[in-house]
Amino acid sequence: SGVSGMIRRQNKIAVVGVNGAGKSTLLKILAGQTEPTTGRFNLGANVEAGYFSQHALEVLDPRKTVFETLQDAMPLANIGVIRNLLGAFLFSGDSVDKRIENLSGGEKSRVVLASLLARPLNLLILDEPTNHLDIRSREMLLDALKKFAGTVVLVSHDRHFLRQLVDRVFEIDHGEMRVYDGTYEYYLHKVHGEEMPVA
């Protein structure tokens, strides 16, 4: 309750709080997956949102290949463009012809994330995007999100990821939301008294 705020273009926002605080629910509301019980949420004009959650892995067509799945996300792209994007998400050679049903959880996550970044989106809403990813995949995703020209709102327990990416923090605590206009380091310093690193 009492949640109020504005997300601005190109913000990279971490939504933090204890388990059960409502972080995933807030993301679902932003993504249009669920309605707020009271109040309202407005998406700006020309905002195209993409949503990643663990549930998104179940929506993949198990019979399609990695390549076909990405081709569906970017139907006008030529083979080279699709292969380049798949390469950026660590799929190369024969691995692009693997069927979704034969992929690990981490591979499925990478396919969903690649599909999101393939589409003309300017708002990414990501709920625990690094959960199944190994270190190399996390770094690849971090790099892609740093280069992403749009807005990112994410929930993640990966502190390294948050330190490298975010410029604002929304903390949900006891049904309220507090906004910190600064990096994740700034948030830790303000709330937990952790020392700011010296540049």
Side-chain angles (χ1 to χ4, degrees):
S1 65
V3 170
S4 177
M6 168 83 74
I7 296 172
R8 292 183 288 276
R9 192 166 156 260
Q10 296 184 320
N11 274 167
K12 304 278 193 284
I13 298 171
V15 179
V16 301
V18 296
N19 285 344
K23 301 184 298 288
S24 292
T25 303
L26 178 64
L27 262 54
K28 280 181 183 161
I29 291 168
L30 297 179
Q33 301 285 314
T34 191
E35 290 292 315
T37 39
T38 59
R40 67 185 192 281
F41 159 68
N42 297 319
L43 206 55
N46 304 319
V47 175
E48 293 292 329
Y51 175 56
F52 175 91
S53 70
Q54 299 312 310
H55 175 66
L57 309 191
E58 299 155 26
V59 182
L60 291 167
D61 185 337
R63 296 176 309 272
K64 289 198 166 163
T65 65
V66 171
F67 186 86
E68 288 166 345
T69 304
L70 210 63
Q71 200 169 30
D72 289 347
M74 43 194 320
L76 301 177
N78 64 39
I79 291 170
V81 170
I82 295 170
R83 278 196 171 269
N84 277 345
L85 184 57
L86 284 171
F89 280 82
L90 312 179
F91 291 103
S92 57
D94 293 342
S95 68
V96 303
D97 297 319
K98 277 169 104 171
R99 285 185 189 276
I100 299 296
E101 62 193 357
N102 298 326
L103 300 181
S104 69
E107 288 171 321
K108 285 179 183 172
S109 287
R110 295 197 329 252
V111 170
V112 173
L113 291 162
S115 299
L116 282 178
L117 286 165
R119 289 164 45 211
L121 304 172
N122 49 23
L123 170 61
L124 292 178
I125 299 161
L126 309 173
D127 196 353
E128 296 285 2
T130 63
N131 252 10
H132 295 287
L133 301 183
D134 59 25
I135 289 171
R136 189 168 163 229
S137 302
R138 286 177 187 197
E139 289 301 322
M140 166 276 306
L141 177 60
L142 181 58
D143 193 47
L145 292 178
K146 281 180 175 175
K147 290 176 182 164
F148 178 64
T151 306
V152 178
V153 181
L154 85 156
V155 169
S156 176
H157 288 99
D158 186 331
R159 280 186 159 201
H160 168 71
F161 205 82
L162 297 178
R163 279 190 167 102
Q164 296 292 316
L165 186 67
V166 306
D167 56 23
R168 290 178 89 198
V169 176
F170 289 0
E171 182 187 51
I172 299 178
D173 185 35
H174 295 92
E176 293 179 8
M177 186 174 87
R178 285 188 282 279
V179 176
Y180 295 86
D181 285 314
T183 64
Y184 188 66
E185 295 284 358
Y186 169 81
Y187 159 74
L188 291 175
H189 175 67
K190 282 297 221 194
V191 175
H192 301 292
E194 292 189 20
E195 286 300 311
M196 295 277 284
V198 179

